[in-house]
Amino acid sequence: MYRSKIIGLGGHVPENVVTNFDLEKLMDTSNEWIVERTGIHERRFVTQPCGSAELALPACRGAIKDAGISKEDIELIIVATTTPEHQVPGTSSYLQALLELAPVPTLDIRVQCSGFIYGLSIADQFIKTGQYKHILVVGVEVQSVGLNLTTEGRDVAVLFGDGAGAVIVGRSDDESAIMSTHLFADGRHANDLWVDAPVGYQSPRISKEMLDEHRQYPKMNGRQVFKNAVIRFPEAVITALETNHWTREDIKLVIPHQANLRITEAIAKRLELPLEKVYSNIHKYGNTTAASVPLAMVDARKEGKFSRGDKLILAAFGSGFTWASAAIIW
Ligand code: UT7
């Protein structure tokens, strides 16, 4: 058995900044409501057309450079996204083509906000068994083009943004390591945060009627999401701590999925951690779903919040419901 670690990290967001004031022009909302309920001040939206693979490419190149490897060293590409270019095939196929890496295997993961940590866990297993030495794990979302940017969709539309984060997972020969990953799900909540159409069990899968009924837009039972998130996030973090016999004092930083600042504050409170130890950059990017954890890692490292040898916990919760944590010695 080998040990794995993250050897390279990269992130990328579109240049186009969309502030809460910009959203005020599209729907009945206010900067005050959005900031108070979510902590979000602005997010990035792609300038169309730009698919998830295209958005992910600079983040991947950044991670490859940071790892000091060449792209030809990559043996598996894992992409977590809720916003693939097409229903079939997955974004990882398009990304592999852009990276010019045929015939490297590609794998899409559809577990929404927890996708990056699920991907990290899969990569960890392949490295541990010795099957692969370098794996690219990507979290990417182009949410903006799928949102209902009118008053009808405002509860969801103000939350989400576009972005990409990527890591290279490789073998560890020093103290740095992915120490543990824990994955969870509760499908009984599948329709508490979901996109109904295209519908897989109905012909045609998409119709004018469906579009007229706005079934193509994400719908959310916000209170249910919130209630579960503030329980599941801390549970996943505590599982990571207990597995590794780490105390709260041992952790340099918890990097949670950026769902909502109020959720992050609740996590800190439940874990009895000072807010400075639970990283947040949601004010800049909103909720970028599968991209938010690697993007937060990029920013936190840039801000000097952690360095080699520090103990980190990554955690996520989202649609499915799915949730997950990873304990890392950076
Ligand atoms: O990765 C997981 C992603 N999802 C989340 O993290 C969401 C978790 N949930 C939440 O953070 C909160 O439920 C929200 C921020 C989405 C909503 O906050 P809330 O306190 O649960 O508000 P609410 O849904 O109960 O709505 C309160 C009011 C309603 O108006 P009335 O019925 O009281 O007149 C909504 O229509 O706020 C209204 N509202 C808005 N007003 C202005 C809903 N969205 C907006 C909006 N701007 N964007």
Coordinates of all heavy atoms in Angstrom, one line a residue, residues 270-325:
R270 N -20.9 24.9 16.2 CA -21.1 23.5 16.6 C -19.8 22.8 16.9 O -19.8 21.9 17.8 CB -21.9 22.7 15.6 CG -23.4 23.1 15.6 CD -24.2 22.1 14.8 NE -25.6 22.7 14.8 CZ -26.7 22.0 14.9 NH1 -26.6 20.7 15.1 NH2 -27.8 22.5 14.8
L271 N -18.8 23.1 16.2 CA -17.5 22.5 16.4 C -16.7 23.2 17.5 O -15.6 22.8 17.8 CB -16.7 22.4 15.1 CG -17.2 21.5 14.0 CD1 -16.5 21.7 12.7 CD2 -17.1 20.0 14.5
E272 N -17.2 24.3 18.0 CA -16.5 25.1 19.0 C -15.2 25.5 18.5 O -14.1 25.4 19.2 CB -16.4 24.4 20.3 CG -17.8 24.1 21.0 CD -17.7 23.2 22.2 OE1 -16.6 23.0 22.7 OE2 -18.8 22.8 22.6
L273 N -15.1 26.0 17.2 CA -13.9 26.5 16.6 C -14.1 28.0 16.4 O -15.2 28.4 16.0 CB -13.7 25.8 15.2 CG -13.2 24.4 15.2 CD1 -13.2 23.8 13.8 CD2 -11.8 24.3 15.7
P274 N -13.0 28.7 16.5 CA -13.1 30.2 16.2 C -13.3 30.3 14.7 O -12.8 29.5 13.9 CB -11.7 30.7 16.6 CG -10.8 29.5 16.7 CD -11.7 28.3 17.0
L275 N -14.1 31.3 14.3 CA -14.5 31.4 12.9 C -13.3 31.5 12.0 O -13.3 31.1 10.8 CB -15.4 32.7 12.7 CG -16.3 32.8 11.5 CD1 -17.1 31.5 11.3 CD2 -17.2 34.0 11.5
E276 N -12.1 32.0 12.5 CA -10.9 32.2 11.6 C -10.4 30.8 11.2 O -9.6 30.7 10.3 CB -9.8 32.8 12.4 CG -10.1 34.1 13.1 CD -10.6 33.9 14.5 OE1 -9.9 33.5 15.4 OE2 -11.9 34.1 14.6
K277 N -10.8 29.7 12.0 CA -10.3 28.4 11.6 C -11.3 27.7 10.6 O -11.0 26.5 10.3 CB -10.2 27.5 12.9 CG -8.9 27.7 13.6 CD -8.6 26.5 14.5 CE -7.2 26.5 15.0 NZ -6.9 25.3 15.6
V278 N -12.3 28.3 10.2 CA -13.3 27.7 9.2 C -13.3 28.7 8.0 O -13.9 29.8 8.1 CB -14.7 27.5 9.8 CG1 -15.5 26.8 8.8 CG2 -14.6 26.7 11.1
Y279 N -12.6 28.3 7.0 CA -12.3 29.2 5.9 C -13.6 29.6 5.1 O -14.5 28.8 4.9 CB -11.3 28.6 4.9 CG -10.9 29.6 3.9 CD1 -10.0 30.7 4.2 CD2 -11.4 29.5 2.6 CE1 -9.7 31.6 3.3 CE2 -11.0 30.5 1.6 CZ -10.1 31.5 2.0 OH -9.8 32.4 1.1
S280 N -13.6 30.9 4.7 CA -14.7 31.3 3.8 C -14.2 32.3 2.7 O -13.5 33.2 3.0 CB -15.8 32.0 4.7 OG -16.8 32.6 3.8
N281 N -14.7 32.0 1.5 CA -14.5 33.0 0.4 C -15.8 33.2 -0.4 O -15.7 33.6 -1.5 CB -13.3 32.7 -0.5 CG -13.5 31.4 -1.2 OD1 -14.5 30.7 -1.0 ND2 -12.6 31.1 -2.1
I282 N -16.9 32.8 0.3 CA -18.2 32.8 -0.4 C -18.6 34.3 -0.9 O -19.3 34.4 -1.9 CB -19.3 32.2 0.4 CG1 -20.5 31.9 -0.5 CG2 -19.7 33.0 1.6 CD1 -21.5 31.0 0.1
H283 N -18.1 35.3 -0.2 CA -18.4 36.7 -0.5 C -18.0 37.0 -2.0 O -18.6 37.8 -2.6 CB -17.8 37.7 0.5 CG -16.3 37.5 0.6 ND1 -15.7 36.5 1.2 CD2 -15.3 38.3 0.1 CE1 -14.4 36.6 1.1 NE2 -14.1 37.7 0.5
K284 N -16.9 36.3 -2.4 CA -16.4 36.6 -3.8 C -17.0 35.8 -4.9 O -17.1 36.3 -6.0 CB -14.9 36.3 -3.8 CG -14.1 37.2 -3.0 CD -12.6 37.1 -3.4 CE -12.0 35.8 -3.0 NZ -10.5 35.8 -3.3
Y285 N -17.3 34.5 -4.6 CA -17.7 33.6 -5.7 C -19.1 33.0 -5.5 O -19.5 32.3 -6.4 CB -16.7 32.4 -5.7 CG -15.3 32.8 -5.9 CD1 -14.3 32.2 -5.2 CD2 -14.9 33.9 -6.8 CE1 -12.9 32.6 -5.3 CE2 -13.6 34.2 -6.9 CZ -12.6 33.6 -6.2 OH -11.3 33.9 -6.3
G286 N -19.8 33.2 -4.4 CA -21.1 32.5 -4.2 C -20.8 31.0 -4.0 O -19.7 30.6 -3.7
N287 N -21.8 30.3 -4.2 CA -21.7 28.8 -4.1 C -21.3 28.2 -5.5 O -22.2 28.2 -6.4 CB -23.1 28.3 -3.6 CG -23.1 26.8 -3.5 OD1 -22.3 26.0 -4.1 ND2 -24.0 26.3 -2.7
T288 N -20.1 27.7 -5.6 CA -19.7 27.2 -6.9 C -19.7 25.6 -6.9 O -19.0 25.0 -7.6 CB -18.3 27.6 -7.3 OG1 -17.4 27.3 -6.2 CG2 -18.2 29.1 -7.5
T289 N -20.6 25.1 -6.0 CA -20.9 23.7 -6.0 C -19.6 22.8 -5.9 O -18.9 23.0 -5.0 CB -21.9 23.3 -7.1 OG1 -22.9 24.4 -7.2 CG2 -22.6 22.0 -6.9
A290 N -19.4 22.0 -6.9 CA -18.3 21.0 -6.8 C -16.9 21.8 -6.9 O -15.9 21.2 -6.5 CB -18.3 20.0 -8.0
A291 N -16.9 23.0 -7.3 CA -15.6 23.7 -7.5 C -15.3 24.4 -6.2 O -14.1 24.9 -6.0 CB -15.7 24.8 -8.6
S292 N -16.2 24.5 -5.2 CA -15.9 25.5 -4.1 C -14.8 25.0 -3.2 O -14.0 25.9 -2.7 CB -17.2 25.7 -3.3 OG -17.4 24.8 -2.3
V293 N -14.7 23.7 -2.9 CA -13.6 23.3 -2.0 C -12.2 23.5 -2.6 O -11.4 24.2 -1.9 CB -13.8 21.8 -1.5 CG1 -12.6 21.3 -0.7 CG2 -15.1 21.7 -0.7
P294 N -11.9 23.1 -3.8 CA -10.6 23.4 -4.4 C -10.3 24.9 -4.6 O -9.2 25.3 -4.4 CB -10.6 22.6 -5.7 CG -12.0 22.3 -6.0 CD -12.7 22.2 -4.7
L295 N -11.4 25.6 -4.9 CA -11.2 27.1 -5.1 C -10.9 27.7 -3.7 O -10.0 28.6 -3.6 CB -12.5 27.7 -5.6 CG -12.6 27.9 -7.1 CD1 -13.9 28.6 -7.5 CD2 -11.4 28.8 -7.6
A296 N -11.5 27.2 -2.7 CA -11.3 27.8 -1.3 C -9.8 27.4 -0.9 O -9.1 28.2 -0.3 CB -12.3 27.2 -0.3
M297 N -9.4 26.2 -1.3 CA -8.0 25.8 -1.0 C -7.0 26.7 -1.6 O -6.0 27.1 -1.0 CB -7.8 24.3 -1.4 CG -8.5 23.3 -0.6 SD -8.4 21.7 -1.3 CE -6.8 21.2 -0.8
V298 N -7.3 27.0 -2.9 CA -6.4 27.9 -3.7 C -6.3 29.3 -2.9 O -5.2 29.8 -2.7 CB -6.9 28.1 -5.1 CG1 -6.2 29.2 -5.8 CG2 -6.8 26.8 -5.9
D299 N -7.4 29.8 -2.6 CA -7.4 31.2 -1.9 C -6.8 31.1 -0.6 O -6.0 32.0 -0.2 CB -8.9 31.7 -1.8 CG -9.3 32.4 -3.1 OD1 -8.6 32.3 -4.1 OD2 -10.4 33.0 -3.1
A300 N -7.1 30.1 0.2 CA -6.6 30.0 1.6 C -5.1 29.8 1.5 O -4.4 30.4 2.4 CB -7.2 28.8 2.3
R301 N -4.6 29.1 0.6 CA -3.1 28.9 0.5 C -2.5 30.3 0.1 O -1.5 30.7 0.7 CB -2.7 27.8 -0.5 CG -1.2 27.6 -0.5 CD -0.8 26.5 -1.4 NE -1.0 26.8 -2.8 CZ -0.6 26.0 -3.8 NH1 0.1 24.9 -3.6 NH2 -0.8 26.4 -5.1
K302 N -3.1 31.0 -0.9 CA -2.6 32.2 -1.3 C -2.5 33.2 -0.1 O -1.6 34.1 0.0 CB -3.5 32.8 -2.4 CG -2.8 33.3 -3.6 CD -3.7 33.9 -4.6 CE -4.2 32.9 -5.7 NZ -5.3 33.4 -6.5
E303 N -3.6 33.2 0.7 CA -3.6 34.1 1.9 C -2.7 33.6 3.0 O -2.8 34.2 4.1 CB -5.1 34.2 2.4 CG -6.0 34.9 1.4 CD -7.5 34.6 1.7 OE1 -7.8 34.3 2.8 OE2 -8.3 34.7 0.7
G304 N -2.0 32.5 2.8 CA -1.1 32.1 3.9 C -1.7 31.4 5.0 O -1.2 31.3 6.2
K305 N -3.0 30.9 4.8 CA -3.7 30.3 5.9 C -3.2 28.9 6.3 O -3.5 28.4 7.3 CB -5.2 30.1 5.6 CG -5.9 31.4 5.2 CD -6.5 32.0 6.4 CE -7.3 33.3 6.1 NZ -7.6 34.1 7.2
F306 N -2.4 28.3 5.4 CA -1.8 27.0 5.7 C -0.6 26.8 4.9 O -0.4 27.5 3.8 CB -2.8 25.8 5.5 CG -3.2 25.6 4.1 CD1 -2.5 24.8 3.3 CD2 -4.4 26.1 3.6 CE1 -2.9 24.6 1.9 CE2 -4.8 25.9 2.3 CZ -4.0 25.2 1.5
S307 N 0.3 25.9 5.4 CA 1.5 25.6 4.6 C 1.9 24.1 4.9 O 1.2 23.4 5.6 CB 2.6 26.5 5.0 OG 2.8 26.5 6.4
R308 N 2.9 23.6 4.2 CA 3.3 22.2 4.3 C 3.4 21.7 5.7 O 3.9 22.4 6.6 CB 4.6 21.9 3.6 CG 4.5 21.9 2.1 CD 3.8 20.6 1.6 NE 3.4 20.6 0.2 CZ 2.4 19.9 -0.4 NH1 1.7 19.1 0.3 NH2 2.1 20.0 -1.7
G309 N 2.8 20.6 6.0 CA 2.8 20.0 7.3 C 1.6 20.3 8.2 O 1.3 19.7 9.2
D310 N 0.8 21.3 7.7 CA -0.4 21.6 8.5 C -1.5 20.6 8.3 O -1.7 20.0 7.2 CB -1.0 23.0 8.1 CG -0.1 24.2 8.6 OD1 0.6 24.0 9.6 OD2 -0.1 25.2 8.0
K311 N -2.3 20.4 9.4 CA -3.5 19.5 9.3 C -4.7 20.3 8.9 O -5.1 21.3 9.5 CB -3.7 18.9 10.7 CG -2.5 18.0 11.1 CD -2.9 17.2 12.4 CE -1.8 16.2 12.7 NZ -0.6 16.7 13.3
L312 N -5.4 19.8 7.8 CA -6.5 20.4 7.3 C -7.7 19.4 7.3 O -7.5 18.2 7.1 CB -6.3 20.9 5.8 CG -5.1 21.7 5.5 CD1 -5.0 22.0 4.0 CD2 -5.1 23.0 6.3
I313 N -8.9 19.9 7.4 CA -10.1 19.1 7.2 C -10.9 19.8 6.0 O -11.2 20.9 6.1 CB -11.0 19.0 8.4 CG1 -10.2 18.5 9.6 CG2 -12.2 18.1 8.1 CD1 -10.1 17.1 9.8
L314 N -11.2 19.0 5.0 CA -12.1 19.4 4.0 C -13.5 18.8 4.3 O -13.6 17.7 4.7 CB -11.6 19.0 2.6 CG -10.2 19.1 2.2 CD1 -9.9 18.6 0.8 CD2 -9.8 20.6 2.3
A315 N -14.5 19.6 4.0 CA -15.9 19.0 4.3 C -16.9 19.6 3.3 O -16.7 20.7 2.8 CB -16.3 19.3 5.7
A316 N -17.9 18.8 3.0 CA -18.9 19.3 2.0 C -20.3 18.7 2.3 O -20.4 17.6 3.0 CB -18.5 18.9 0.6
F317 N -21.3 19.4 1.9 CA -22.7 18.9 2.0 C -23.5 19.5 0.9 O -23.3 20.7 0.5 CB -23.3 19.4 3.3 CG -24.8 19.0 3.4 CD1 -25.2 17.8 3.9 CD2 -25.7 19.9 3.0 CE1 -26.5 17.5 4.0 CE2 -27.1 19.6 3.0 CZ -27.5 18.3 3.5
G318 N -24.3 18.7 0.3 CA -25.1 19.3 -0.8 C -26.2 18.3 -1.3 O -26.6 17.3 -0.6
S319 N -26.7 18.7 -2.5 CA -27.8 18.0 -3.1 C -27.6 16.5 -3.1 O -26.4 16.0 -3.3 CB -28.0 18.5 -4.5 OG -28.7 17.6 -5.3
G320 N -28.6 15.7 -2.9 CA -28.5 14.3 -2.9 C -29.4 13.6 -1.8 O -30.1 12.7 -2.1
F321 N -29.3 14.0 -0.5 CA -28.2 14.8 0.0 C -26.9 13.9 0.0 O -27.0 12.7 0.2 CB -28.5 15.2 1.5 CG -29.5 16.2 1.7 CD1 -30.3 16.3 2.8 CD2 -29.7 17.2 0.7 CE1 -31.3 17.2 2.9 CE2 -30.7 18.2 0.9 CZ -31.5 18.2 2.0
T322 N -25.8 14.5 -0.2 CA -24.5 13.9 0.0 C -23.7 14.7 0.9 O -23.8 16.0 0.9 CB -23.8 13.7 -1.4 OG1 -23.6 15.0 -2.0 CG2 -24.6 12.9 -2.4
W323 N -22.8 14.1 1.6 CA -21.8 14.9 2.4 C -20.6 14.0 2.6 O -20.5 12.8 2.3 CB -22.4 15.4 3.7 CG -22.9 14.3 4.7 CD1 -22.3 14.0 5.9 CD2 -24.1 13.6 4.7 NE1 -23.0 13.0 6.5 CE2 -24.2 12.8 5.8 CE3 -25.2 13.5 3.8 CZ2 -25.2 11.9 6.1 CZ3 -26.3 12.7 4.1 CH2 -26.3 11.9 5.2
A324 N -19.5 14.7 2.9 CA -18.2 14.1 2.9 C -17.1 14.9 3.7 O -17.3 16.1 3.9 CB -17.7 13.9 1.5
S325 N -16.1 14.2 4.1 CA -14.9 14.9 4.7 C -13.6 14.2 4.3 O -13.6 13.1 3.9 CB -15.0 15.0 6.2 OG -14.9 13.7 6.8

